[in-house]
Amino acid sequence: MSVIWSVAAALLAVRVYREYRAGLVVGLLVFSHCVLDFISHPIPFSSFSWRSWQWSFGHSLPPDLPLLFAGSPKVGLGLYNSISAVKATALELGMLVLGGVVYITYTVRCKRIRGAQLG
Ligand SMILES: [Zn+2]
C-alpha cells in the first residue's frame, strides 16, 4: 500500500503543480512517512499516563499497520514497545527539529539564489 499511496500522491502533485519534480518530492515524502510508520508502529500514545509519564499498558502492543486493506496481515517493528516515553518524546522532538532545520536551510538557500538572480 505504501507504494500505491506514494505513486497516487506523486501523480496528484504533478497534476496540481504541473511539475514532475514536485511529484517526485511529494511521492518520496509520502513513502518516507510509510517507512517511519513501519519502524515506529504500534504507537501506544493512547495509553500514555501523565501521572507516571510512562506508557501505562505495561506490555508490548501487537503490530497494527495492515499490509493491504483491513483484514490483511499487520506489520510494524514497534520501536515504542522497546523505549521509554521520555526517549520516545525526545526522538519525536528531535525529528521535528531536524525537519525544521532542513526546511529552513533549504528555503534560505532558495531565497539567496533567487536574490542573486535578481541582482
Ligand atoms: Zn503515519
Side-chain angles (χ1 to χ4, degrees), residues 13-14 17 22 26 33-34 39 42 50 66 68 89 92 103 108 115 117:
V14 168
Y17 295 105
V26 169
H33 179 98
C34 297
I39 295 169
W50 286 102
L68 287 166
T89 305
E92 295 279 334
Y103 175 77
V108 164
Q117 283 171 343

Side-chain angles (χ1 to χ4, degrees), residues 12 15 23 29 33 40 51 55 60 74-75 79 84 91 111:
L12 187 68
R15 179 125 186 138
L29 189 74
H33 179 98
S40 57
R51 202 183 310 150
W55 313 130
S60 296
K74 291 179 176 176
V75 295
L79 174 67
S84 70
L91 184 70
K111 276 187 186 145

Side-chain angles (χ1 to χ4, degrees), residues 33-34 36-37 40-41 43 65:
H33 179 98
C34 297
L36 291 174
D37 267 355
S40 57
H41 273 250
I43 299 177
L65 290 174

Side-chain angles (χ1 to χ4, degrees), residues 16-105:
V16 169
Y17 295 105
R18 300 176 189 285
E19 198 187 324
Y20 285 107
R21 210 175 73 145
L24 182 71
V25 170
V26 169
L28 287 173
L29 189 74
V30 170
F31 193 76
S32 74
H33 179 98
C34 297
V35 170
L36 291 174
D37 267 355
F38 175 68
I39 295 169
S40 57
H41 273 250
I43 299 177
F45 288 158
S46 57
S47 64
F48 182 75
S49 161
W50 286 102
R51 202 183 310 150
S52 62
W53 193 249
Q54 281 178 344
W55 313 130
S56 58
F57 56 85
H59 58 84
S60 296
L61 293 176
D64 66 346
L65 290 174
L67 268 181
L68 287 166
F69 300 102
S72 65
K74 291 179 176 176
V75 295
L77 297 179
L79 174 67
Y80 296 156
N81 277 334
S82 53
I83 62 175
S84 70
V86 173
K87 283 180 183 169
T89 305
L91 184 70
E92 295 279 334
L93 290 175
M95 293 292 278
L96 180 67
V97 169
L98 185 69
V101 167
V102 169
Y103 175 77
I104 289 167
T105 306

